[in-house]
Structures are given as structure tokens and as C-alpha cells.
Amino acid sequence: VLTSLASRFDRQFFKIALPFFLLGFSGMLQSKTDLYCVAYFLNEKDVGQYQVFINLLIYVQVFASLILQPFLKNIYRLNSKITFKLSKKLFAAGVAITIPALIFIYGILYWVYHFEFSMAFFIWGGLFILPVYFYLPAVYSLYKLNCQSKVLIVNITGNSINLVLNILFIVYFGLLGAIIATAISQWVILVGYLFYERKEAHSKAVGSRGGKQ
């Protein structure tokens, strides 16, 4: 049996699949790092409240993917400038969605769960939601350019910053520190994606012009 399994083991498959596994794993950590820190530093009540709060915010982020989903096949045909315009339009839609969504979340937390969060939580919650509406087209653009490694670098960097900031901010600001740290890390990730997308798109354009000469 072991000989049979060994004969079917395809190292090339695992070599190709590894970057995608790491992308998925880093994405999972990105959504859980703050919760792990809250669970480590704070009490069970805070953990429960934060988990409900952050999950509701993540649901609002999911709308970015739902809006973009019908247009994915077109994104792979767009150049960097048009992708950036698409990001701005999606971000505007994100603002239009986020403001009423935060009011709705406040109502759920107050009337259903009987949680009372200060206005600062919702301001930072909005700042946590919005970056994904801007950087999502850039992520797909990087996939188009076969730059999954750059996406992984940004994810790892964002996760590391998120971890460090959560440790520092939770100690000083308590539960509010977790959402502050996580929101900041999302904007760092936004900058990273846009930087690599523009850089790689420019490099490809220069390479294409050079090849035609």
C-alpha cells in the first residue's frame, strides 16, 4: 500500500498548489489574528462581544466580493488604469453600503444582543470595512499578472502588523484596541496591494514594449 501511495505522489502538484494553500492560510489568519489576541488578553465576555461585532463587520465586507463577482472575467482583460478606476467606483459603493450597514449593526448589537459599544467602535469598524472595497480589484489584477507571491507577501506583512498592533493596543485600549489595530492593518494591506499591482503592471507594460522593438 505504501509503495502504491508513493508511486502516486506528485511533487510537482504540491509545488504548484503550495502558494495557493499559503494564500488561503494567510487569509484565514488575517481574519482571526485580532480574535486570537482578544481571547488571550481579555475575558470571556469581551471575547464574545468582539466576536459578534467583528463578524457583523466581515459580513459587510463580503458585499465587495458579491458586487465584483459578475465582472471578474472582465477584470482579467483590464489594464492597470481601468482597474484603478474600478477600485474607486467599488470604494464609492462601499461607502454607500457601509454607512447604513453600521447603523443596522448598531441596532442588532443594542436591541438583539444588548451590547453597548461607543461611537469609536463604529468609526474604526467603518475604517476596517472600507479598504477591501478598494483593494479587491487589485488582488485579482495581481492574480492576472501571475503575481500570487506578491499577494502572499502583502498578506504576511499585514498579518504581522496586525499581530503586533493588537498586542500593543489591546494592552492600552482594551477591546477598542483590537478593532483599531485591525483597521490599521487593513489600510496597510491596501497600500501593499496597490503598490505591487501598479509596479507589476508597469513592468509588464515596459516588457511588452521592449519585446515589440
Side-chain angles (χ1 to χ4, degrees):
V1 176
L2 291 177
T3 303
S4 177
L5 288 173
S7 65
R8 293 200 299 266
F9 183 80
D10 188 350
R11 292 184 179 181
Q12 187 64 25
F13 169 79
F14 285 96
K15 182 179 180 180
I16 295 172
L18 181 61
F20 294 96
F21 167 77
L22 292 176
L23 280 171
F25 183 70
S26 63
M28 182 199 72
L29 286 179
Q30 184 178 321
S31 64
K32 297 295 182 182
T33 298
D34 53 337
L35 188 58
Y36 292 149
C37 290
V38 170
Y40 183 82
F41 287 104
L42 302 178
N43 57 45
E44 293 181 357
K45 178 184 176 182
D46 288 333
V47 174
Q49 290 186 349
Y50 187 79
Q51 188 168 17
V52 172
F53 178 66
I54 197 67
N55 283 339
L56 289 172
L57 297 180
I58 291 173
Y59 290 149
V60 183
Q61 285 186 327
V62 170
F63 278 105
S65 295
L66 295 177
I67 294 171
L68 203 59
Q69 195 69 34
F71 308 102
L72 283 184
K73 64 180 181 180
N74 296 320
I75 289 178
Y76 290 100
R77 303 170 187 170
L78 302 178
N79 60 41
S80 181
K81 290 183 179 180
I82 298 177
T83 301
F84 186 73
K85 290 180 180 178
L86 179 61
S87 291
K88 291 193 291 185
K89 290 183 178 180
L90 187 62
F91 184 79
V95 173
I97 291 170
T98 298
I99 294 173
L102 289 174
I103 296 172
F104 181 70
I105 289 172
Y106 173 82
I108 291 177
L109 293 173
Y110 186 80
W111 296 106
V112 177
Y113 291 96
H114 305 291
F115 296 161
E116 293 189 27
F117 287 95
S118 67
M119 182 59 67
F121 277 90
F122 294 95
I123 293 172
W124 285 103
L127 292 173
F128 163 75
I129 291 170
L130 287 173
V132 70
Y133 282 87
F134 203 104
Y135 68 60
L136 196 58
V139 173
Y140 286 112
S141 182
L142 286 169
Y143 287 154
K144 177 191 72 174
L145 296 169
N146 199 29
C147 295
Q148 293 89 344
S149 61
K150 300 300 188 295
V151 177
L152 182 60
I153 289 171
V154 174
N155 285 352
I156 292 173
T157 302
N159 289 340
S160 301
I161 292 173
N162 194 17
L163 177 62
V164 173
L165 291 181
N166 264 281
I167 293 172
L168 293 175
F169 289 3
I170 290 174
V171 171
Y172 287 101
F173 303 110
L175 200 59
L176 179 61
I179 189 60
I180 293 175
T182 307
I184 291 173
S185 68
Q186 281 291 298
W187 286 92
V188 172
I189 289 171
L190 165 63
V191 172
Y193 283 144
L194 292 182
F195 170 77
Y196 278 120
E197 195 273 334
R198 301 295 286 273
K199 179 181 178 182
E200 296 300 325
H202 177 72
S203 297
K204 184 177 180 180
V206 171
S208 298
R209 289 196 295 268
K212 292 179 181 179
Q213 293 177 355

